[in-house]
Amino acid sequence: MRGLFVVFEGVDRSGKTTQLQLLADRMAAKHEVVVTREPGGTPVAEAIRVLLLADDVDMSARCEALLFAAARADHVERIIRPALERGAVVVSDRFVDSSLAYQGVARGLGVEDVERVNLWATDGLVPDLTIMLDLPITHSTARDGEADRMENEGELFQARVRRGLLDLAARAPQRYAVIDAAHSIDEVADMVWAALPEQWR
Ligand code: TYD
């Protein structure tokens, strides 16, 4: 595929949405950039998102994992692949690794099983680069502001997510940039920029 697929991952409140937007704005000077997010990105996936994040909905862990994967299947087929095929840069707020860390590790479903389901859902699409914004879990990371259903899981859950994400990055370091999100917004933005393949900068 001709385009570039960049994914931002991180624990809740790692500043990834801000950084993603800064990168997208900067890349838009030279490239077509499609900014998207998970769960979401298409009408069906956004509807599934509402169901997944509502704090008054209770569901089994497998149901949760399949809904994230279902939303992702639609997102990949309708938005991400077509954009990559026409040579665009796709920047996504979360992708498969979120399912591996949240559902596979933190919920305890197992990385291998969740990965198998997602391999099918995405028809094997793998990001070219994943920017992992890392931050220690604190009380405020887990609870400040308006919390959705996942954020309400608390610090221990968030700590398992963080560990899960770091382990995924360690598994294939050439496809990841792990960045310390405790630096200033400008400093982090520069580190993100430096992580891009040179021909795309
Ligand atoms: P969102 O409001 O987008 O949070 P954030 O700004 O932290 O990305 O909500 C997405 C939530 O869903 C977030 O807590 C992570 C979780 N999630 C999963 O558990 N599995 C997944 O596959 C994805 C994509 C997200």
Side-chain angles (χ1 to χ4, degrees):
M1 253 173 310
R2 299 183 298 125
L4 183 75
F5 185 21
V6 181
V7 171
F8 279 72
E9 296 282 2
V11 289
D12 298 315
R13 319 291 159 88
S14 55
K16 94 190 135 40
T17 310
T18 303
Q19 289 300 332
L20 174 153
Q21 200 55 58
L22 288 172
L23 176 69
D25 291 348
R26 201 162 169 188
M27 291 194 87
K30 280 203 203 160
H31 309 281
E32 182 201 349
V33 180
V34 174
V35 176
T36 189
R37 68 166 178 186
E38 292 212 331
T42 71
V44 165
E46 291 289 338
I48 294 173
R49 176 189 177 88
V50 172
L51 194 58
L52 276 166
L53 299 185
D55 56 14
D56 57 350
V57 172
D58 188 32
M59 67 178 80
S60 66
R62 283 173 191 245
C63 174
E64 180 183 286
L66 287 169
L67 285 175
F68 276 114
R72 181 165 297 130
D74 203 54
H75 188 208
V76 166
E77 187 171 323
R78 305 266 167 101
I79 304 288
I80 301 177
R81 271 193 201 277
L84 293 175
E85 272 157 17
R86 63 176 188 266
V89 177
V90 175
V91 185
S92 183
D93 195 338
R94 302 190 179 280
F95 194 59
V96 172
D97 284 351
S98 279
S99 282
L100 302 184
Y102 282 82
Q103 282 67 52
V105 177
R107 284 267 191 253
L109 288 175
V111 170
E112 268 185 34
D113 284 351
V114 177
E115 192 161 39
R116 194 163 343 113
V117 167
N118 275 279
L119 202 61
W120 185 75
T122 62
D123 200 11
L125 182 66
V126 175
D128 297 298
L129 173 67
T130 298
I131 306 285
M132 199 79 93
L133 295 184
D134 185 44
L135 205 61
I137 305 300
T138 61
H139 187 69
S140 66
T141 336
R143 333 221 140 154
D144 271 8
E146 292 160 36
D148 61 41
R149 199 171 60 83
M150 306 303 295
E151 288 162 355
N152 278 330
E153 291 292 339
E155 288 165 45
L156 195 63
F157 185 87
Q158 295 290 333
R160 286 200 291 264
V161 170
R162 181 190 183 204
R163 185 73 258 153
L165 289 174
L166 290 173
D167 287 347
L168 290 169
R171 213 169 66 160
Q174 69 288 356
R175 285 193 286 104
Y176 290 82
V178 179
I179 293 174
D180 179 359
H183 289 91
S184 72
I185 290 180
D186 286 348
E187 284 168 334
V188 173
D190 285 345
M191 291 188 267
V192 171
W193 188 252
L196 282 186
E198 214 167 309
Q199 68 271 28
W200 289 92
R201 272 184 237 153

